[in-house]
Amino acid sequence: MSSTATPRRVEHQQTDKGYVPVYTTAVVEQDWDQYSEDDHRTWATLFQRQLQVLQGRACREHLEALDGLQMSAGRIPRFSDINALLQAATGWTIIGVEGLLPELDFFDHLANRRFPVTWWIRRPDQIDYIAEPDLFHDLFGHVPLLFNPVFADYMQAYGRGGVKAHGLGEAALQNLTRLYWYTVEFGLIRSAEGLRIYGAGIVSSKGESIHCLESDAPNRIGFDLKRIMRTRYRIDTFQKTYFVIDDFQQLFDATRPDFTQIYAELAPMPAIPAGETIDGDRILHRGTGEGWLDEGGD
Ligand code: HBI
Ligand code: FE
């Protein structure tokens, strides 16, 4: 086995929207044998570090699913091994991809209970931060909750909503993307022992795992679908606001109404800046705003 790092296949391109990844839609084999020792070491380092940080911080469902899916620090998991366990539990399948997919392709996979997992892992010098999703974020961050039946159904409902929203224009898609961001990527959940993390963007980041629960800077606000759909977000800093669900059922139930009506209702309303609170918010913690940068984002 080669000791050089796996070549990164995700290209970027300068466009009028800035420097953006070139989307590739292909479903690819994991080709497990080509992972280098460096790749396995990167997985091991991240896995061990996050397992420690997440004790008492991640929700029970996430930690238990790591066991249930037999993920461990030793080796990068084989997708085929994960799939045998995942399919038996909730009927979800993971498929290998090169990176970010065009939205409609992504939604279509979710609607069919397929979760795209980036096959390559970050380089050793990217342990603490990488802008785009890699194998660690996708597999360690996202896949465990697909082992939970209620969350698994939410993800499928989200995908179906996405396929539908795609025909409804940019604003509807933006509403839906914000929902994904503040739940699947950066959601917090109540538990008997206190707030816990379930969002994959947090779970795969040491810094944000601590920040989201322990810092006084961010707002922590009770889940509210329409409120979230109006809330801008930043992809390059810790979140200014986290939304807290009571349980995964609340998340799934929120996807029952016809979103078409909701998009229409939200269309004339202004977007809410990421750090702002508004009348009607159920504020669990009002952020001090310490260290916040200027507004911006989507
Ligand atoms: N593609 N592979 C992959 N993973 C994602 O999380 C992803 C994507 N394409 C689009 C996308 N996310 C976002 O638009 C979400 O808001 C849906
Ligand atoms: Fe993600």
Side-chain angles (χ1 to χ4, degrees):
M1 195 178 291
S2 148
S3 65
T4 55
T6 310
R8 299 289 90 96
R9 294 209 207 143
V10 177
E11 306 288 329
H12 286 74
Q13 192 178 42
Q14 187 67 43
T15 72
D16 58 358
K17 283 186 157 179
Y19 198 55
V20 299
V22 175
Y23 291 126
T24 48
T25 55
V27 173
V28 295
E29 281 297 313
Q30 184 188 25
D31 195 6
W32 192 86
D33 288 329
Q34 54 71 43
Y35 290 123
S36 67
E37 284 307 313
D38 269 357
D39 290 335
H40 288 296
R41 243 191 314 275
T42 298
W43 168 267
T45 301
L46 286 165
F47 189 97
Q48 282 163 349
R49 194 169 84 168
Q50 283 312 100
L51 204 61
Q52 271 203 341
V53 171
L54 293 176
Q55 298 305 316
R57 292 196 176 92
C59 65
R60 187 177 44 79
E61 290 85 348
H62 190 280
L63 293 171
E64 286 178 1
L66 292 173
D67 273 345
L69 290 168
Q70 297 175 17
M71 289 193 202
S72 65
R75 282 335 234 169
I76 290 173
R78 290 177 189 267
F79 291 0
S80 52
D81 291 345
I82 299 288
N83 273 334
L85 297 161
L86 189 58
Q87 279 165 357
T90 59
W92 274 75
T93 309
I94 61 172
I95 52 170
V97 292
E98 298 285 357
L100 286 174
L101 301 175
E103 268 160 347
L104 187 56
D105 294 73
F106 181 66
F107 294 144
D108 182 65
H109 284 307
L110 299 186
N112 290 287
R113 289 174 104 84
R114 294 185 298 264
F115 192 82
V117 174
T118 306
W119 68 266
W120 54 267
I121 194 160
R122 67 194 73 183
R123 294 190 313 263
D125 61 295
Q126 296 170 314
I127 289 270
D128 288 317
Y129 181 76
I130 177 168
E132 60 200 313
D134 75 332
L135 179 134
F136 186 73
H137 169 77
D138 286 339
L139 194 53
F140 183 93
H142 283 288
V143 174
L145 283 189
L146 298 174
F147 203 63
N148 176 274
V150 180
F151 190 87
D153 286 349
Y154 170 66
M155 286 290 271
Q156 179 175 33
Y158 181 87
R160 286 176 170 158
V163 172
K164 204 166 156 188
H166 204 80
L168 299 175
E170 275 303 310
L173 266 180
Q174 190 174 49
N175 291 154
L176 207 60
T177 303
R178 289 171 179 156
L179 176 62
Y180 192 83
W181 190 261
Y182 282 114
T183 61
V184 177
E185 294 290 355
F186 290 95
L188 297 180
I189 184 169
R190 288 175 196 272
S191 81
E193 296 81 37
L195 291 190
R196 292 291 184 270
I197 303 161
Y198 74 91
I202 309 177
V203 154
S204 55
S205 157
K206 181 182 178 189
E208 193 143 6
S209 289
I210 297 167
H211 177 86
C212 71
L213 295 175
E214 276 135 86
S215 170
D216 285 334
N219 300 308
R220 298 185 191 89
I221 300 177
F223 175 87
D224 177 335
L225 181 84
K226 294 178 193 170
R227 196 312 186 180
I228 288 175
M229 285 185 166
R230 293 175 56 201
T231 310
R232 295 158 68 104
Y233 61 88
R234 290 281 297 256
I235 64 167
D236 54 350
T237 60
F238 290 158
Q239 301 306 304
K240 294 179 177 179
T241 299
Y242 298 95
F243 290 93
V244 181
I245 59 171
D246 296 327
D247 51 34
F248 293 130
Q249 192 63 44
Q250 181 184 24
L251 214 47
F252 179 71
D253 290 347
T255 63
R256 273 185 213 283
D258 180 3
F259 282 6
T260 314
Q261 311 268 324
I262 295 177
Y263 302 141
E265 185 185 331
L266 298 183
M269 300 173 86
I272 304 168
E276 230 167 81
T277 55
I278 59 167
D279 285 351
D281 280 346
R282 271 186 303 131
I283 299 176
L284 308 176
H285 170 81
R286 186 184 294 279
T288 61
E290 193 190 338
W292 283 358
L293 302 172
D294 288 348
E295 266 309 329
D298 302 309

